[in-house]
Amino acid sequence: MLAQKMPSWLLALTAVALTANAAPCASTSECSPVSFDVAATAQNAILSPSYDPNNETSVIEFINAMARGEVNPVVGVQEIGGSFLINGIYCKPAKGVKKQRNALQILVHGITYNSKMWGGYHFGDKYNWHAYANSEGYHTLAIDRLGHGLNSKLLDPNTVVQPTLQVQIYRQLLQCIRSNTKGNSLRRKFTNIIYVGHSYGSQIALPLARLYPELTSALVLTGWTSRTNFSEVQKFNLASASTIYPSRFPGVAKGYLTLASESLRTSLFYYGGYDPAIPTFDFANQDIVTVGEFAANANPAFTSPPENYTKPVMVITGVEDSIFCVQPGVAQRECEKLLEKTRTDVFPNVPAKKYEYFAPRNTGHDLTLHYSAPETFERAHKFLNKYF
Ligand SMILES: *[C@@H]1O[C@H](CO)[C@@H](O)[C@H](O)[C@H]1NC(C)=O
Ligand SMILES: *[C@@H]1O[C@H](CO)[C@@H](O)[C@H](O)[C@H]1NC(C)=O
Ligand SMILES: *[C@@H]1O[C@H](CO)[C@@H](O)[C@H](O)[C@H]1NC(C)=O
């Protein structure tokens, strides 16, 4: 494929600063779009030849069979490499913020979302992670994951847009931000980098923490636990993005998928206390997930736990997150037990005193888009403020 010899990351990683066309953020923040040109190479999965990548029905049947455990999606590995443009939004605390911390939070969204999710769209600062973090003195960088947001949708959704390559890209990105002052588009380096994930963005923190524990100083994993309920994943009712939104995704390959039903998306991602205008906006503006993201993530070699990670970890998941916590009606304590067990399952070497969890009530999967969001932000930062 696009395999190429990489010079040192310093040469290969040319960061591009765009015009600081500030997005409407809180008064405690100064935000600007940024992009990074990242060279990376990974051993991506070769997917089972049992489906036709150009046939929407076949792609979706393949993913559903995978969720039911009926097909082994990965049959081998192959090297995939290249140079990838990764877009995002960088916000820093305004000068008036008293306590300025020398720490960057990198915010990594889940499937069918993009970097905008962390800003709460236009629904106000109560849903804006950047605004809260910046007011606490942290810098924030929300990235579009490979294939999502403003990033190219011309990459092959089967062979290229996979989590293994994503981990290598985010590794190079973090290395650049950690050590390069002038050449990265943040225009300063950070050695304290806190990885904040949501859902799939939390899931891919595991291989990053396992393979490159030195790159992060703490993890905050939201909308995630060590147990995924695959019966819920089977309800996704996927369709090709180019079928559902022909004007937004014209000609995009069939393996770029979205959720076909608004009511189903709402019932999977929202519960209890939320503004009903949000899931409607969310559905109309949803992003993609690729067949490669589903298939390669099911590979145990990829998802094995970061057993030697010792840095602070916090996990925050809505009680009624039916994919990762409990079904509505099940006691809050059951969700909290699962969050406790997540430490022993996945982070056995994170000392109990460096591990915290929080399960906001009356809250589904997209916790930062629920009424409980301010409490989630407060709890996450109370935790981080002990260390940074
Ligand atoms: C697409 O795949 C489905 C399910 O495997 C199959 O029934 C159908 O015939 C295929 N369509 C084409 C045009 O190959
Ligand atoms: C998983 O979800 C299904 C519904 O999709 C539900 O019946 C089942 O109880 C859930 N499993 C757990 C362990 O929560
Ligand atoms: C964790 O450390 C042990 C002891 O050094 C080592 O045997 C094991 O392979 C490490 N695990 C990982 C995932 O690196």
Side-chain angles (χ1 to χ4, degrees), residues 2-295:
L2 295 159
Q4 63 173 49
K5 275 258 172 344
M6 245 200 303
S8 88
W9 60 266
L10 236 167
L11 294 172
L13 209 154
T14 332
V16 189
L18 298 181
T19 19
N21 189 8
C25 268
S27 56
T28 49
S29 304
E30 286 169 15
C31 298
S32 49
V34 286
S35 66
F36 300 84
D37 197 1
V38 185
T41 301
Q43 299 298 313
N44 266 12
I46 299 173
L47 304 191
S48 162
S50 63
Y51 72 103
D52 174 359
N54 298 312
N55 175 333
E56 180 174 3
T57 313
S58 174
V59 167
I60 290 160
E61 281 178 0
F62 173 62
I63 293 169
N64 290 338
M66 195 191 307
R68 291 193 300 266
E70 291 168 9
V71 61
N72 182 4
V74 175
V75 298
V77 295
Q78 64 186 342
E79 188 171 289
I80 299 287
S83 184
F84 304 93
L85 193 68
I86 298 296
N87 290 281
I89 180 155
Y90 170 52
C91 301
K92 55 187 180 183
K95 291 210 172 63
V97 172
K98 245 190 259 150
K99 173 125 183 112
Q100 301 275 342
R101 294 174 212 265
N102 183 21
L104 174 73
Q105 299 179 12
I106 178 163
L107 313 178
V108 186
H109 64 81
I111 61 177
T112 72
Y113 286 91
N114 58 46
S115 60
K116 288 190 182 149
M117 167 261 214
W118 296 104
Y121 306 120
H122 58 278
F123 292 96
D125 278 355
K126 70 185 283 197
Y127 305 109
N128 187 336
W129 188 295
H130 294 281
Y132 194 98
N134 298 154
S135 75
E136 288 287 324
Y138 295 88
H139 297 242
T140 48
L141 169 65
I143 58 163
D144 287 335
R145 288 196 295 101
L146 190 68
H148 298 245
L150 297 176
N151 298 339
S152 171
K153 287 180 171 58
L154 298 175
L155 300 171
D156 189 308
N158 308 278
T159 56
V160 178
V161 185
Q162 290 192 7
T164 324
L165 177 59
Q166 293 190 34
V167 167
Q168 292 304 321
I169 291 173
Y170 310 147
R171 168 200 179 194
Q172 301 295 345
L173 178 63
L174 293 191
Q175 276 183 347
C176 170
I177 294 170
R178 288 179 70 83
S179 46
N180 192 348
T181 309
K182 288 196 182 129
N184 90 65
S185 55
L186 307 185
R187 294 163 188 268
R188 59 174 285 181
K189 67 178 178 183
F190 290 93
T191 47
N192 287 320
I193 300 183
I194 300 145
Y195 185 110
V196 181
H198 178 246
S199 193
Y200 198 94
S202 296
Q203 182 71 33
I204 58 175
L206 305 190
L208 193 72
R210 174 166 51 88
L211 299 168
Y212 313 107
E214 70 285 359
L215 293 182
T216 52
S217 302
L219 309 177
V220 177
L221 306 181
T222 74
W224 173 85
T225 62
S226 58
R227 188 194 71 194
T228 309
N229 187 336
F230 287 100
S231 330
E232 289 289 293
V233 176
Q234 280 173 54
K235 292 186 193 162
F236 272 22
N237 189 12
L238 296 162
S240 294
S242 57
T243 306
I244 302 284
Y245 307 95
S247 57
R248 282 177 61 208
F249 303 112
V252 163
K254 300 288 186 209
Y256 281 94
L257 304 154
T258 54
L259 273 56
S261 149
E262 178 176 343
S263 58
L264 195 107
R265 184 177 176 91
T266 303
S267 69
L268 278 166
F269 294 163
Y270 294 84
Y271 178 84
Y274 62 88
D275 175 346
I278 295 183
T280 300
F281 177 90
D282 172 331
F283 180 73
N285 292 280
Q286 69 173 315
D287 213 285
I288 57 87
V289 52
T290 67
V291 58
E293 286 184 300
F294 275 115

